[in-house]
């Protein structure tokens, strides 16, 4: 089985925005995360949540609480979409992001590790989900954390929208001269090239 999601955005938070597909098409949009199980598959494929934690949550994927969390995920995604498609940003979308990010921070724990065995070695700390790994909200917290890492980083200025009018997926332009125009050259780039070729005929 091929992995379920096309991850073309070069950042998991932007791949998340693209899970509402055909966002700007008259016949759209198409929801790529219709069930909590799809949300789990997404955070696993993007490596935002470990396979072990995902497996632990799968049993409860059809519970009423899982459906509530799925709705939270959709709300978070649309708030993030409003901010990355900058013209749609509102105070509401920013406040949704801030609240989700604070919740994510609250559910992390510091894990301490001591590197090496010599006297001079310091303890090293890292944020882990710890006890929160068994909470159904984990995918939403992980996505909020990823979104905040993007939005608070200077690389956010390189967020771009695919130049295909029917696509408009968002991606992070990591190319050297920041000239990437398509979410995927093979999909959208070629389609546009073919269209231009036909127009010339
Ligand atoms: Zn595209």
């Amino acid at each position: 089985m091929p992995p379920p999601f096309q991850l073309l955005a070069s950042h998991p938070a932007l791949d998340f925005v693209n899970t509402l597909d055909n966002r700007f098409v008259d016949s759209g949009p198409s929801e790529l995360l219709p069930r909590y199980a799809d949300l789990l598959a997404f955070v696993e494929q993007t490596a935002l949540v470990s396979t072990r934690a995902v497996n632990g949550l799968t049993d409860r994927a059809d519970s009423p609480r899982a459906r509530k969390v799925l709705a939270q995920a959709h709300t978070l995604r649309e708030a993030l979409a409003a901010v990355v498609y900058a013209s749609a940003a509102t105070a509401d979308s920013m406040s949704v992001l801030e609240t989700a990010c604070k919740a994510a921070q609250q559910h992390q724990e510091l894990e301490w590790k001591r590197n090496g065995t010599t006297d001079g070695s310091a303890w090293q700390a890292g944020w882990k989900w710890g006890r929160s790994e068994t909470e159904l909200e984990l995918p939403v917290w992980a996505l909020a954390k990823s979104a905040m890492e993007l939005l608070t980083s200077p690389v956010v200025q390189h967020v771009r929208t695919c130049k295909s009018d029917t696509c408009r997926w968002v991606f992070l332009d990591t190319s050297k001269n920041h000239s990437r125009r398509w979410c995927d050259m093979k999909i959208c780039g070629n389609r546009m090239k073919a269209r231009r070729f036909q127009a010339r005929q």
Side-chain angles (χ1 to χ4, degrees):
M1 280 261 283
F5 298 97
Q6 276 188 307
L7 306 178
L8 305 173
S10 306
H11 196 289
L14 297 176
D15 284 316
F16 181 44
V17 171
N18 295 338
T19 61
L20 190 70
D21 199 9
N22 298 317
R23 198 180 269 281
F24 302 101
V25 180
D26 289 342
S27 57
S30 335
E31 178 57 76
L32 305 185
L33 302 176
R35 301 167 309 148
Y36 182 84
D38 303 306
L39 181 65
L40 282 182
F42 181 77
V43 290
E44 184 182 16
Q45 194 184 330
T46 48
L48 290 175
V49 172
S50 69
T51 299
R52 184 174 50 92
V54 164
N55 290 342
L57 296 170
T58 305
D59 283 355
R60 287 172 282 155
D62 291 320
S63 64
R65 193 153 146 248
R67 276 194 289 280
K68 230 184 230 175
V69 174
L70 177 67
Q72 287 170 14
H74 290 160
T75 303
L76 173 68
R77 180 187 61 195
E78 293 319 298
L80 180 59
V83 169
V84 295
Y85 291 105
S87 57
T90 62
D92 255 11
S93 51
M94 290 167 181
S95 133
V96 165
L97 285 164
E98 185 171 348
T99 305
C101 180
K102 283 177 178 165
Q105 283 171 338
Q106 260 176 15
H107 289 89
Q108 291 173 80
E109 299 167 9
L110 267 188
E111 190 182 73
W112 295 92
K113 255 191 260 172
R114 189 157 189 180
N115 287 332
T117 51
T118 55
D119 288 346
S121 66
W123 285 83
Q124 190 186 357
W127 289 109
K128 299 277 155 159
W129 294 111
R131 281 163 298 173
S132 301
E133 283 219 321
T134 57
E135 301 287 339
L136 281 167
E137 284 87 351
L138 180 65
V140 176
W141 294 329
L143 286 161
K145 185 182 178 211
S146 173
M148 213 32 73
E149 278 164 5
L150 173 69
L151 294 172
T152 57
S153 157
V155 301
V156 75
Q157 64 183 304
H158 300 305
V159 172
R160 297 282 178 271
T161 306
C162 178
K163 288 286 174 278
S164 158
D165 285 341
T166 52
C167 174
R168 297 188 64 190
W169 270 19
V170 283
F171 58 84
L172 189 64
D173 181 2
T174 53
S175 67
K176 238 188 207 156
N177 49 2
H178 303 295
S179 59
R180 180 174 162 191
R181 303 181 66 207
W182 317 105
C183 66
D184 185 273
M185 189 61 205
K186 283 199 268 323
I187 302 168
C188 287
N190 273 350
R191 197 156 62 205
M192 292 300 274
K193 268 200 293 189
R195 207 186 289 159
R196 263 182 260 143
F197 179 73
Q198 279 166 358
R200 273 201 299 267
Q201 293 296 299

